[in-house]
Amino acid sequence: VAPITTGHEKVRGVVATIQDITTEKELDKVKDEFVYVVAHELGNPIFAIDGYLSILDEKIKKSDKETKDILSSAKSVNQQLSSLVNDLLEAVRNEQGQLTCELDSIDLVSIFKEVTSSASFKAKTKEIKINYLESKIPKVIGNEQKIREVATNLVDNAIKYSPNKGSIEVFHEIEGKEVITHVRDTGYGMSAEEQEKLFDKFYRIKNEDTKGVSGTGLGLFICRQIVEKCGGRIWAESEKGKGSTISLSLRKTK
């Protein structure tokens, strides 16, 4: 809506512009349905390939290192494809409002303790030290499986976007009726513009530092959807070249 004025800035009327976005919404729906069908159909062959690779891995002699290495690489690529399919399916479910989170009282300490312990093996390949500062905090409202998925994604991202010999720190703090969990790294950091887009669907930071880092651009988008479904918040604080801190806040049960 825009006003029509005279030379003396007296309003004589208004002009209203109406745009029909029905077609755009229909196209978005078709796109989501297409992605869902393709991702769903890819699921079974990926699972089958993984099974066949595992059988071959068991049958090949341990002394045949070159073949074992090739199989290991094939399994790694197949796992990446599997993760992509799962991310696509979950993203579409989120968009269609099909993401369900049955809320319960959950223990963040046990979740992050397990996730950081599992991630330490991957971190060692880059000589990255993960320090989980365990503390006494109350239980929070959330979905254990989904919040574990969020925790895994945040810690995995911290490893991927940190240079060799970096460090990651995970800790909690209580603020009013919320428990805030921080995942802080000594990685490449982000500009203010990159932080604004960080949780957008398919957004990935692309620069010289992140060249070669694999990903779909869906992980943090899904994390935001999950955290918000649990009644919480998630945000990023960072400075270029000085690392990043991703924080999530969930309500205390009491």
Side-chain angles (χ1 to χ4, degrees):
V1 178
I4 300 174
T5 61
T6 64
H8 301 289
E9 297 187 353
K10 184 178 180 180
V11 178
R12 298 181 59 188
V14 294
V15 175
T17 303
I18 300 173
Q19 183 178 359
D20 186 356
I21 61 170
T22 303
T23 303
E24 292 178 14
K25 286 187 174 181
E26 288 176 349
L27 286 173
D28 282 341
K29 184 179 179 182
V30 170
K31 179 187 68 177
D32 286 343
E33 288 175 351
F34 173 76
V35 171
Y36 183 85
V37 170
V38 171
H40 187 268
E41 291 302 313
L42 281 172
N44 288 335
I46 289 172
F47 181 77
I49 291 169
D50 190 60
Y52 292 138
L53 289 173
S54 295
I55 293 170
L56 283 173
D57 192 39
E58 290 176 2
K59 289 184 176 292
I60 291 173
K61 295 179 181 179
K62 291 183 179 180
S63 58
D64 191 352
K65 186 178 183 303
E66 184 179 358
T67 306
K68 295 280 281 187
D69 287 345
I70 293 171
L71 270 176
S72 178
S73 297
K75 283 178 70 69
S76 177
V77 171
N78 197 57
Q79 285 168 2
Q80 289 177 26
L81 186 56
S82 178
S83 295
L84 170 60
V85 168
N86 290 333
D87 284 350
L88 286 170
L89 287 171
E90 188 146 10
V92 172
R93 291 191 192 105
N94 292 348
E95 292 286 275
Q96 295 178 345
Q98 295 177 5
L99 174 66
T100 57
C101 275
E102 292 185 11
L103 302 182
D104 201 353
S105 176
I106 63 172
D107 182 1
L108 285 177
V109 171
S110 65
I111 291 173
F112 276 91
K113 191 174 183 179
E114 178 188 329
V115 168
T116 52
S117 176
S118 299
S120 63
F121 297 103
K122 183 176 181 179
K124 282 180 181 177
T125 63
K126 296 180 68 175
E127 298 182 72
I128 293 174
K129 183 179 179 181
I130 300 179
N131 186 20
Y132 176 51
L133 304 177
E134 187 176 339
S135 58
K136 289 185 178 180
I137 56 171
K139 289 187 176 182
V140 298
I141 299 170
N143 180 286
E144 185 172 342
Q145 180 183 346
K146 293 295 184 182
I147 294 301
R148 181 176 281 105
E149 183 181 332
V150 171
T152 301
N153 192 287
L154 297 186
V155 174
D156 186 60
N157 272 0
I159 296 171
K160 287 198 299 184
Y161 289 95
S162 290
N164 291 353
K165 298 183 179 180
S167 64
I168 297 167
E169 193 173 69
V170 181
F171 59 99
H172 311 281
E173 63 176 340
I174 301 170
E175 191 173 290
K177 296 181 179 180
E178 299 176 319
V179 174
I180 302 174
T181 302
H182 305 282
V183 179
R184 178 176 295 161
D185 64 54
T186 55
Y188 308 119
M190 297 173 279
S191 66
E193 183 182 355
E194 288 168 336
Q195 290 176 59
E196 288 179 6
K197 301 176 183 177
L198 189 62
F199 297 95
D200 291 352
K201 185 167 60 173
F202 295 121
Y203 179 72
R204 295 194 64 221
I205 296 173
K206 295 180 181 179
N207 53 44
E208 286 299 315
D209 292 327
T210 61
K211 189 182 293 183
V213 178
S214 62
T216 62
L218 288 169
L220 288 177
F221 168 76
I222 293 171
C223 285
R224 185 185 66 182
Q225 298 289 323
I226 291 172
V227 172
E228 289 179 353
K229 281 281 186 181
C230 292
R233 301 175 294 125
I234 186 168
W235 66 95
E237 294 175 280
S238 182
E239 191 174 339
K240 199 74 173 174
K242 295 186 178 180
S244 304
T245 300
I246 307 295
S247 305
L248 70 97
S249 174
L250 294 168
R251 293 170 294 160
K252 295 189 294 185
T253 53
K254 294 181 181 179

